[in-house]
Every structure is written in structure tokens, then in C-alpha cells.
Amino acid sequence: MKAYELLFIVAPTIDDETRAGVMKRIETTLAESAGVVDNVDNWGKRKLAYEINGLSDGDYTLIDFHADPQSIAELDRVLRINDAVMRHMIVARTDRD
């Protein structure tokens, strides 16, 4: 398994229940492919570089995890179809194993 980093942004107006649902869906998708979440770092509300859907702020979360490269496409698909997630980015970590 390789090390990856996922950063996703949700609207700051999203309630905690919906945010927890997004996290649960990410954890479930990773668990189905034998991936492991190493660390979840909630950055909180930050200003966006540009407006997205009329919003100038976003609620950021960074997740460090290990997964097989084949499961990244499924995780990307799950995040793209989730209406609560405004933007996301998955990056391979070369400084970790």
C-alpha cells in the first residue's frame, strides 16, 4: 500500500451531521479496499483563493491514509458525486511508505 493525502473542502454552512457523513463515506470506501486512515486533521474555516458557487470561505479537512493505487479512482468517484464536497485533491506522498 502507498501513502496518500486527501484534502477536501465543504461549505462552511454545512451542518456537523452532513460533514460526519462525508467522513464516514470516505472511511467506508477506504475500508472496502483494505485502506487505512492514519490521521485526520480538521483545518476549519479558511478563505478560498477564489469564489466557488458564490462562497468565499470553505471548511478544510486533511486526511493522511494508506491504500492500494487501484482504490484511488473509486475514492475520487465517491467524492465527485457527493454534493457536500465542493473541491477535493488526492496526492501520493513520496516522503512516506
Side-chain angles (χ1 to χ4, degrees):
M1 287 197 287
K2 291 187 174 186
Y4 292 93
E5 195 172 76
L6 162 65
L7 179 67
F8 70 92
I9 307 168
V10 296
T13 56
I14 295 283
D15 60 357
D16 290 338
E17 185 176 315
T18 305
R19 185 176 177 75
V22 171
M23 280 299 303
K24 183 67 175 167
R25 183 67 178 124
I26 291 169
E27 290 171 352
T28 303
T29 304
L30 288 173
E32 288 173 353
S33 62
V36 179
V37 174
D38 298 328
N39 186 31
V40 177
D41 190 11
N42 185 7
W43 290 359
K45 184 178 172 184
R46 301 223 174 166
K47 187 133 180 87
L48 298 171
Y50 54 90
E51 282 191 11
I52 301 172
N53 299 332
L55 297 172
S56 59
D57 293 326
D59 200 348
Y60 288 69
T61 303
L62 178 71
I63 302 173
D64 291 323
F65 65 98
H66 282 80
D68 290 326
Q70 297 84 6
S71 63
I72 298 303
E74 175 63 17
L75 180 59
D76 186 50
R77 185 191 70 79
V78 165
L79 289 167
R80 269 189 279 125
I81 63 173
N82 193 324
D83 291 335
V85 178
M86 293 174 15
R87 294 286 190 274
H88 72 279
M89 184 187 325
I90 303 171
V91 179
R93 297 283 307 253
T94 57
D95 59 337
R96 293 188 189 172
D97 286 332

